[in-house]
Amino acid sequence: MNAFLPFTRPSLDEETIQGVAEVLRSGWITSGPKVKEFEAALSDYFGGRPVRTLNSATAALEVALQLCGIGLGDEVITTPLSWVATANSVLHVGAKPVFVDVDPVTRNIDLEQIEQAVTPRTKAIIPVDLAGLPVDRDRLYALAEKHRLRVIEDAAQSMGASWRGKKIGSFGDLVAISFHANKNMTTGEGGCLVLNDEAQIPLFEKLRLQGVVRFPDGGMDVDVAGGKFNLTDIAARIGLGQLPQIDAFNARRRELARHYFARFDRELGCGLPLENFSDSNWHMFQILLPLDRLKITRGEFIEQMRQRDIGVGVHYPAMHLFSLYRGMGYREGDFPQAERIGRETVTLPLFPAMQTNDIKRVCDTISEILSHSH
Ligand SMILES: *Cc1c(COP(=O)(O)O)cnc(C)c1O
């Protein structure tokens, strides 16, 4: 019997676990010295740019929007094929998410269609690097410059990915990254925002924690209603154990992705991801099921995989079809590519501790299930 293979699992070493125990024993468990140390290490990783941590990437997106002065009456262009946090953060600041369909090859926002969505109210673009495959940063920033738009990169999934040899986060406008348990490196829950210059830090720090400004005499003032978005030292210590390993984790993910391409039976008619081994961090390996030609639904496929002890995920249904966004006027048919991908997509197991024979097992199981379902 095989052990259950989840679609992802974090790699936490004993040294990190010991380090967390030390933080717990130290008497200081919330934001303190470990957060500062983690922020400095992240800044080094991103080429010296200022970096601040938060308790999620969702919070990073929300604070980034506030830093850009985006709020009521403003529009922000983004993709409907992402985790719903992307567009929810726009709603949180009172602005309107304006969706643009995705490119069927990259499954990321279709850069060709962005210009048609720009209006006098548009203030920013939030690109998402789905599965860690970066959106074309050259074209993206050229568009942003032409229309004088801010860019808030939802790089939640693209820690350690790069664009033309440059690390995502080491260049560009504001960049939000997630350290959720399922991401390529984790702090349990957590995230960070890469800022443009030191001058943004005081406002950022106010928005991160209740709007509080502290004075040397122990007094304080509040002039904005900030959030409660600070990271704990417990989480930061996990991040300090993960960060030195991120490039090795991603190298292993790339190697495993190559095995998927080598093993996957292309006769089954599934859509495979773009074979990119230079920029992507292979956060996920997603196939598209040929549902038109199958006798089973995606739900039945997932169930049959589970019965064979393989966990698969769905990332993501097109979010404009969620009740909340339908309520804002979005309809089926608005973004046909995102809708089709959202219906057909399945995330296969991929994480650094997986073995190459796990890939064989996943591919063989898919072949077995699908060859009986045509
Ligand atoms: C995970 C994720 C987020 C949210 O990150 P949290 O740290 O869980 O808030 C946002 N956008 C995308 C694309 C994600 O994958």
Side-chain angles (χ1 to χ4, degrees):
M1 243 343 265
N2 288 308
F4 185 79
L5 180 70
F7 76 83
T8 192
R9 181 194 290 151
S11 293
L12 295 162
D13 58 21
E14 205 48 43
E15 193 272 332
T16 304
I17 294 167
Q18 285 302 320
V20 169
E22 278 164 36
V23 171
L24 292 174
R25 290 191 194 99
S26 74
W28 194 291
I29 58 176
T30 187
S31 312
K34 291 298 171 197
V35 163
K36 288 214 159 61
E37 200 183 323
F38 185 39
E39 288 175 343
L42 287 166
S43 177
D44 276 351
Y45 188 82
F46 297 123
R49 296 183 72 194
V51 182
R52 287 295 180 270
T53 55
L54 305 98
N55 55 14
S56 71
T58 307
L61 291 170
E62 188 174 329
V63 172
L65 287 158
Q66 290 176 296
L67 277 178
C68 295
I70 294 168
L72 208 64
D74 296 331
E75 293 177 0
V76 177
I77 293 174
T78 194
T79 167
L81 200 62
S82 177
W83 175 228
V84 69
T86 309
N88 280 356
S89 68
V90 176
L91 294 180
H92 285 156
V93 300
K96 181 185 175 201
V98 173
F99 297 116
V100 165
D101 206 356
V102 301
D103 171 338
V105 176
T106 62
R107 306 171 187 170
N108 285 329
I109 194 165
D110 185 349
L111 293 160
E112 292 288 335
Q113 296 189 44
I114 287 183
E115 284 199 287
Q116 293 148 243
V118 175
T119 76
R121 289 167 180 261
T122 311
K123 290 288 169 7
I125 307 173
I126 303 186
V128 175
D129 304 323
L130 191 69
L133 176 72
V135 170
D136 181 332
R137 294 298 196 271
D138 298 329
R139 286 178 65 195
L140 174 76
Y141 278 99
L143 272 172
E145 199 168 313
K146 180 173 169 197
H147 296 279
R148 297 173 185 280
L149 302 176
R150 296 297 300 266
V151 175
I152 298 167
E153 297 183 19
D154 181 343
Q157 302 185 0
S158 34
M159 180 65 186
S162 53
W163 175 253
R164 293 188 193 277
K166 291 180 293 183
K167 279 253 145 61
I168 295 300
S170 70
F171 65 99
D173 199 348
L174 299 170
V175 185
I177 292 168
S178 174
F179 305 129
H180 175 267
N182 286 353
K183 302 298 183 344
N184 289 27
M185 73 164 257
T186 187
T187 60
E189 296 282 358
C192 72
L193 186 68
V194 184
L195 301 163
N196 287 306
D197 58 66
E198 307 280 331
Q200 290 169 330
I201 292 173
L203 178 56
F204 173 89
E205 291 188 343
K206 279 201 289 188
L207 294 168
R208 177 172 63 179
L209 192 65
Q210 311 289 8
V212 167
V213 189
R214 291 181 187 277
F215 304 126
D217 68 357
M220 63 177 84
D221 189 27
V222 174
D223 63 359
V224 53
K228 166 61 184 174
F229 298 145
N230 56 304
L231 192 73
T232 67
D233 264 23
I234 302 167
R237 181 59 188 84
I238 303 174
L240 282 163
Q242 293 266 289
L243 185 59
Q245 304 183 69
I246 182 67
D247 293 339
F249 286 161
N250 288 346
R252 177 65 183 153
R253 284 175 175 274
R254 271 182 210 116
E255 199 179 323
L256 291 165
R258 280 186 192 276
H259 281 290
Y260 266 125
F261 285 110
R263 280 269 169 211
F264 205 90
D265 180 0
R266 290 163 199 249
E267 303 291 303
L268 296 172
C270 295
L272 296 185
L274 192 68
E275 278 183 76
N276 176 308
F277 296 104
S278 51
D279 299 327
S280 176
N281 67 1
W282 288 99
H283 170 58
M284 295 187 280
F285 192 98
Q286 296 161 304
I287 60 166
L288 305 180
L289 295 174
L291 290 178
D292 300 345
R293 285 181 269 157
L294 294 181
K295 283 181 288 187
I296 55 170
T297 64
R298 176 172 62 183
E300 287 161 349
F301 172 79
I302 292 172
E303 183 48 34
Q304 291 191 27
M305 291 291 280
R306 198 168 283 144
Q307 282 165 4
R308 291 161 178 79
D309 286 313
I310 297 173
V312 297
V314 172
H315 307 91
Y316 303 92
M319 72 174 95
H320 65 285
L321 299 180
F322 293 152
S323 309
L324 175 65
Y325 292 95
R326 283 182 188 266
M328 294 171 51
Y330 288 108
R331 290 284 173 271
E332 193 128 22
D334 285 349
F335 309 109
Q337 297 296 348
E339 290 168 21
R340 180 184 55 82
I341 295 168
R343 274 194 307 272
E344 298 176 347
T345 193
V346 202
T347 306
L348 304 184
L350 181 62
F351 53 91
M354 251 176 100
Q355 303 298 312
T356 8
N357 55 1
D358 291 327
I359 303 275
K360 179 177 184 314
R361 185 178 141 207
V362 174
C363 291
D364 290 350
T365 307
I366 294 173
S367 295
E368 183 217 322
I369 294 172
L370 293 191
S371 57
H372 288 104
S373 310
H374 272 288

